[in-house]
Amino acid sequence: MLKNAAAWWILSLTALYFMAIFIVWSYIAPVLQALFPMSGERLSATLMLFGVAGVVGTLLGGWANDRIGPRKTLLAQLVLMTGTMTLVPYTQGHYASMLATFMLWTVARFGMMAPQQTRPAVLSPSQAPLLFSLNSSMVYVSTALGAALGGAMSTVLGMQHLAWLSVPLGLLGMATVWIRARPSSPQGHMTPA
């Protein structure tokens, strides 16, 4: 399976977007406090709203995946995720715009799950369980790497600018979706949509 270049493109996207997410999400409370200082109660309510946005994103991602396919859905979500991460530092001092930006970000990051899980099944149905397993491993590795990178750079950039580290990873993620690797096996497995 790992000789198939298309599998590597799928795994690469998982690594890139989970790193992009966890650079910020690992430190979400201090990031939010740096952008707009708030009470513990308001912080809890804000995080609850992000949870609601996550549910919406999961549902929208699944809906879009079924109707327009995984590739277009992923590109749309990556554009939204990268765009919102670019805007985060500019929301400093403005609770409503910060909340809206992070809620859109949360919709995007949760919306990528269904289409990204579809791609291994389309690539090689007979080896999908193996690819799902590798994809899950990539999630854990890239989550740790994102948290480590965010922690290392937080004192350099400041919590309010941490989201900018996610932007190049989002752009690289878009590039992995655009590149359509050809099947490497003689059986002619499908390239993920």
Side-chain angles (χ1 to χ4, degrees):
M1 190 72 248
L2 292 179
K3 291 179 181 177
N4 189 331
W8 282 107
W9 289 118
I10 292 169
L11 297 174
S12 296
L13 175 59
T14 298
L16 289 164
Y17 87 78
F18 269 91
M19 277 183 68
I21 290 166
F22 279 90
I23 284 171
V24 177
W25 190 247
S26 300
Y27 307 98
I28 192 62
V31 166
L32 292 175
Q33 293 287 17
L35 291 166
F36 191 91
M38 62 188 88
S39 66
E41 291 80 11
R42 190 170 194 177
L43 178 61
S44 294
T46 301
L47 293 174
M48 183 205 64
L49 290 172
F50 294 169
V52 171
V55 172
V56 171
T58 301
L59 295 172
L60 283 176
W63 178 86
N65 185 56
D66 291 343
R67 281 153 186 80
I68 65 172
R71 185 168 181 263
K72 289 179 181 177
T73 302
L74 284 167
L75 285 171
Q77 303 290 15
L78 284 161
V79 167
L80 183 58
M81 184 185 84
T82 305
T84 53
M85 288 295 91
T86 303
L87 295 175
V88 163
Y90 300 110
T91 67
Q92 189 169 17
H94 306 282
Y95 180 78
S97 60
M98 180 193 73
L99 180 65
T101 301
F102 272 104
M103 287 187 73
L104 288 171
W105 175 64
T106 303
V107 166
R109 67 191 181 97
F110 276 87
M112 285 189 272
M113 297 300 288
Q116 185 63 356
Q117 288 292 333
T118 299
R119 296 172 84 204
V122 171
L123 175 65
S124 178
S126 64
Q127 294 182 316
L130 174 61
L131 261 177
F132 290 145
S133 175
L134 291 169
N135 200 48
S136 294
S137 297
M138 196 62 71
V139 167
Y140 297 120
V141 170
S142 53
T143 295
L145 289 173
L149 182 58
M153 295 303 292
S154 62
T155 54
V156 177
L157 296 175
M159 287 292 179
Q160 68 276 19
H161 295 106
L162 204 54
W164 280 346
L165 281 177
S166 299
V167 173
L169 296 172
L171 293 172
L172 286 171
M174 284 182 230
T176 69
V177 177
W178 277 108
I179 295 169
R180 296 182 73 96
R182 294 289 158 223
S184 59
S185 84
Q187 287 87 12
H189 293 306
M190 292 173 61
T191 301

